[in-house]
Amino acid sequence: MFILSSLIYYGGKMYDKNFLHALNFTLSQEGGYNNDPDDFGKITYKGITQKTYDYYVKKYGKKHKNVSQLSNDEIMEFFYHEFWKESGADKIRNSVKATILFDSAVLLGTQTAKSLYNKSNGNMNKFLDYRENYHKKVIQKYPKQKKYEQGWMNRVNDLRDIADKYETLSNALTEEISAKKTQQNVSF
């Protein structure tokens, strides 16, 4: 692996650093192999449902595999194409916003994530509020999904923490830059 500007070369491919940060967050939230009959995704591995992966291999002419047999390179390539690029997170320069959109696309689907993002006008607190409400509506409509509520809300709260830390740091840097400009404009 080597870094070139904001791109990282990994596994024979170039990836944006923001994608790797987002993927790292999402994979830290996802489990391993799961085949819960109450989970809409049914067979799932590291957040990749078998159904979505089957669609992906057909779309790109790749060899069919059980998701539990995917290599790290295959997992990365799948997330890059199916969620990073499809959600539009690749077009967002702010790594925190891109991470929140990407993670939402993985959990809610790209169309729902994009819709909530657009509805929020890029305001991450609003976006996360919409995401929370989306989860609550799913639970209302499908009560068996209640068992996932705590995990979903923990994930939203982890994203809020990341967004809050970014905003705090951004504000501090803005104040520091402003103070330096003010000092430079002072004449003696």
Side-chain angles (χ1 to χ4, degrees):
M1 172 171 53
F2 67 88
I3 299 174
L4 176 67
S5 179
S6 68
L7 299 175
I8 296 177
Y9 184 77
Y10 178 85
K13 296 187 173 56
M14 297 293 274
Y15 293 102
D16 184 286
K17 282 193 303 188
N18 286 347
F19 166 68
L20 296 176
H21 291 300
L23 182 62
N24 186 53
F25 173 81
T26 297
L27 289 177
S28 77
Q29 302 290 313
E30 290 290 347
Y33 182 81
N34 182 33
N35 190 6
D36 183 342
D38 294 333
D39 187 341
F40 293 145
K42 303 291 181 230
I43 296 173
T44 306
Y45 180 64
K46 294 189 177 184
I48 302 172
T49 68
Q50 188 66 56
K51 181 180 177 182
T52 304
Y53 190 73
D54 291 347
Y55 170 78
Y56 168 77
V57 297
K58 190 174 184 180
K59 179 175 161 183
Y60 289 100
K62 297 188 176 281
K63 186 180 177 212
H64 180 269
K65 275 187 169 181
N66 183 299
V67 289
S68 66
Q69 304 301 312
L70 296 176
S71 69
N72 287 339
D73 289 350
E74 290 168 318
I75 289 168
M76 186 177 291
E77 186 177 337
F78 169 82
F79 276 119
Y80 181 77
H81 290 290
E82 286 303 297
F83 294 105
W84 182 252
K85 293 198 66 81
E86 285 289 322
S87 70
D90 64 318
K91 307 261 189 289
I92 300 172
R93 292 181 56 100
N94 179 306
S95 65
V96 173
K97 287 182 178 185
T99 296
I100 293 171
L101 177 57
F102 171 76
D103 185 69
S104 298
V106 171
L107 201 59
L108 312 176
T110 55
Q111 294 308 312
T112 299
K114 286 194 290 189
S115 173
L116 296 178
Y117 181 80
N118 291 335
K119 185 177 172 185
S120 74
N121 292 319
N123 178 308
M124 289 301 97
N125 282 320
K126 272 188 183 176
F127 182 54
L128 291 170
D129 288 344
Y130 292 144
R131 181 168 156 174
E132 259 186 53
N133 289 333
Y134 177 86
H135 289 308
K136 289 175 183 175
K137 287 177 184 175
V138 167
I139 292 166
Q140 263 183 333
K141 190 171 181 178
Y142 305 100
K144 286 186 177 184
Q145 299 299 296
K146 177 109 175 116
K147 68 182 179 179
Y148 305 116
E149 181 177 28
Q150 190 61 53
W152 291 341
M153 296 307 147
N154 288 345
R155 197 160 167 167
V156 167
N157 288 332
D158 287 348
L159 288 167
R160 282 189 197 283
D161 287 346
I162 291 168
D164 289 346
K165 287 175 186 169
Y166 177 84
E167 188 173 333
T168 299
L169 178 61
S170 180
N171 289 340
L173 287 172
T174 301
E175 288 175 19
E176 185 177 323
I177 290 168
S178 179
K180 284 183 180 181
K181 283 183 179 178
T182 302
Q183 287 174 349
Q184 289 172 354
N185 291 334
V186 174
S187 332
F188 291 96

